[in-house]
Amino acid sequence: MLPLRNTTRAGVGIFSQLLATVLVLATVLPVLFGAEQVVGDLAWAYPVGTLRVRLDALGAFFLAWSLPMTLLGSIYAVGYMRPFFNSKRNLGVHFALLNLTSVSFLLVYTGEHALVFLLGWEIAALAAWLLVIWDYTNQKVRFAGFNYLVSTHIGLIFLVAAFMIMYTHSGSWFLTSFGDWLSKSGGTERNIVFLLLVTSFGLKSAFFPFHSWLPRAHAAAPAHVSALMSGVIHKAGLYALIRFILLIGTPDEWMGWFLIVFSTCSALIGGLYTVGQRDLKRMLGYSSTENVGIAGIGFGVGCLGLSWGIPSLAALGFAGGLLHLLNHAFFKCLLFYAAGAVYQVMHSVDMERLGGLARLMPLTAASFIIGGVAISALPPLNGFTSEFVIYSGLFSSVAAGVWAKLGLCVAAALLAFVGAVSALSITRAFGVVFLGAPRDASVPAAKEASRWMLVPMGIHSAGVIVLGVIPALGFMLVRGPTELAMGPLPVSAAAVLSPIIDSLTRIGMISGGLVASIALVLWLRSKLTSKPAASHVTWVCGYAAPSPRMQYTGASFSSDFGVHFRSLMVLLRRKKPPVGYFPSDSYLITDCVDAVERRLFSVIGRGDASAANISKKLREDDPRIAFAAALIAVVVIAWLMLLLWGPLR
């Protein structure tokens, strides 16, 4: 808020992020690698009592990469927000909100008191909302921000309801006291609390069917905000899910199966919707729903391992899920940064208007394809390692019973299908946007993005490659929280994960060597070739006037796939058929809309119309109607009180 230039404000924001990251990592890394937990108390007035924070291996794992990635996002923002530096907009507020998200991480990931946890939860929601509506003059941006704000506060209502039930039984606001009640009790009330928590965390992390806010918010927000929301901020929901699983101790078997089914549906629907999108950032938003589902499958497998008392299953499930969260943060931020570079240069992320960008934006194209291969779970990049661990848990032979093994195999088959769909959507996006020829002459000429944007993309690309080729580094980070999640089980996580690490290391080295050899051959070929090869127009069956409109569009690329899944994917078509021998203004526009959102707005619209009709018939200006309604409400409230607490005395 100080009267400084925007460049100075940005510098202060980045410096403060850097300082916070260094100080936090100095405390977090020792705890992550085995040091004692850090606990702090702050005396507060009645009725709150003592505010307590606790840093254990689980919170240390999330903080170890959340703050550095937020720092990279702040650096990226300097290049992305360049047009605003000389404007009247106060960029200091934007960078302050980025800093505020880091504050929320500290509160959520260390909050031992329910109030501290909820405070961090709400700060993250409000800061993300204000970051989403940066371009608030645009009505679509305001609507996307409002949609996100409402969704996240509906999730807060479910979370507060669960906390109220746990406080009623434990008599304390400390999470450990909640855990004492959860671990010792069972039955209906604990089941209700579990479902309330999963609903809240599902809304926060955009699981299906609570995901409808996500594609709108990601399409409307600045690219670095979308990257941080998808890769970092909304991981708080999955952190909270693991935290309360730890507090439960030994979950019921149905909880593990519920998480697997719930997460598999999320991964499947999210993956299908990526194929039908024409907005590049909207496509990446749906892939976030897919990937949180993949991580959730791992956590479901871990819950089954705890309930069955099988250490290997618990270790594979939790390690695979945690590792996928880390890997997803790396490659999803990378993909959003590449999409942001395209938007900043071309002022559009509509795939049907773009094309041929690889020749003019080679570094951005390389970053996008690295992130795309990783998100498709192909070796030697990091997406393959985490999904390999989850597959190992799903195909484990130690599952309790034939039907359990069959259920896990079905989940594995659906996960394999999701991986194939992800590869299809990334191939479609990269081919349409970066290959071929430009499709729309009204789009500006492309050029490479700013160095402020390329540096974070390069660091994320390096992380994606290193964690894929040397997976032991990722397992070093997840070993501590996996040990914590396994609780009283006798076998250590290191003993279970050691064979998996050895196998993945061999696969990574072989795949990495193969990719490096291919790159070396291509480089030598380019250096040894003295003159460029002769080129000519592609053979077009005698047609002498080829144009960019003859290329495959994104819709035509995925049309056959969409036909097979039209019951799940709502495809809307706007068309004007050609008329006459020389039509000039015909068109066909295909768009894949969200079925859940479409149904929700339909229900709201019908409800609004019904309420208006009832109001009109009841003549709401008649005071007798208001008196009768109030009398009925009083009678119903009194009846409920008698039902719950007995006769009044």
Side-chain angles (χ1 to χ4, degrees), residues 259-272:
L259 284 179
I260 289 176
V261 173
F262 181 54
S263 302
T264 301
C265 291
S266 182
L268 182 62
I269 300 300
L272 289 175

Side-chain angles (χ1 to χ4, degrees), residues 34 174 243 351 417 491 508 533:
F174 290 148
R243 173 63 68 193
M351 287 191 247
F417 175 75
V491 181

